[in-house]
Amino acid sequence: MKDEILYKLFKALERCSDTNQRVLAQELGMSLGSMNHCIKKMLDSGFLTTESSIGDHKKRCYIYHLTPAGLTERAAVTMRYLQSLIDAQHQMSLEIETLREEATRISAALQKGLASLCHETAPSKNLSISKLVNKSVVASIATNRLQPKPRKRA
């Protein structure tokens, strides 16, 4: 089972231990069969125990309890998942830096090429780069002012 899924499942069970697999599957965006498989693996591994209960609308549900082994695994999964996110962030930072350098080179080449194009093709018409290319885009690329859009928080 992937650490991301396991981490999210541990978190969901911490929030609401008296739930059913259908609710957990919906919350995590998984199929019911996949959730059943995950819960069975966690039970077989000794990470969870269950207690049968009657929930809302007199439907049977289970209360899931983390065992000491489950708490240990929860800590290990959290650390592995955090490290994978840090590694992905580092890789993304490298890719962003490469793209910024490429954008700067393209912008410089574009500015140089358009400037010579303006001078060569129509000096009498007084054309400028800003008339040929959106000035703010060229400026943003040239100065690396491209920034991430603010994300909505849930």
Side-chain angles (χ1 to χ4, degrees):
M1 200 174 344
K2 290 184 178 181
D3 285 338
E4 179 182 6
I5 293 169
L6 200 50
Y7 170 78
K8 288 178 179 180
L9 184 53
F10 274 126
K11 263 185 90 166
L13 289 171
E14 280 180 0
R15 278 193 309 274
C16 185
S17 64
D18 60 335
T19 188
N20 61 49
Q21 291 181 16
R22 186 175 310 281
V23 171
L24 287 170
Q26 288 173 344
E27 187 175 327
L28 296 177
M30 300 171 66
S31 71
L32 181 57
S34 294
M35 180 54 64
N36 181 275
H37 176 75
C38 291
I39 294 291
K40 279 187 178 184
K41 279 195 143 212
M42 291 176 78
L43 288 166
D44 292 346
S45 299
F47 299 152
L48 290 178
T49 59
T50 60
E51 178 183 330
S52 189
S53 176
I54 302 296
D56 295 341
H57 309 294
K58 300 193 187 232
K59 285 186 175 181
R60 188 177 73 161
C61 70
Y62 290 99
I63 299 174
Y64 296 98
H65 300 284
L66 255 60
T67 64
L71 289 171
T72 301
E73 182 64 12
R74 164 83 162 95
V77 164
T78 300
M79 294 307 294
R80 287 193 310 263
Y81 184 52
L82 175 61
Q83 187 61 53
S84 73
L85 290 177
I86 290 169
D87 293 346
Q89 180 186 28
H90 177 71
Q91 195 63 34
M92 187 68 70
S93 294
L94 294 175
E95 191 169 337
I96 287 170
E97 188 55 38
T98 300
L99 287 170
R100 278 195 173 138
E101 290 169 4
E102 185 178 332
T104 301
R105 283 193 311 274
I106 291 169
S107 175
L110 183 62
Q111 286 178 340
K112 182 179 177 183
L114 288 176
S116 64
L117 178 68
C118 289
H119 295 298
E120 291 171 12
T121 59
S124 62
K125 291 186 180 179
N126 212 10
L127 291 177
S128 67
I129 294 172
S130 63
K131 290 180 182 175
L132 295 174
V133 178
N134 183 335
K135 190 176 179 178
S136 64
V137 171
V138 172
S140 293
I141 292 171
T143 60
N144 286 328
R145 286 188 290 152
L146 297 174
Q147 297 297 322
K149 293 180 182 176
R151 291 176 48 187
K152 294 179 183 176
R153 295 208 169 201

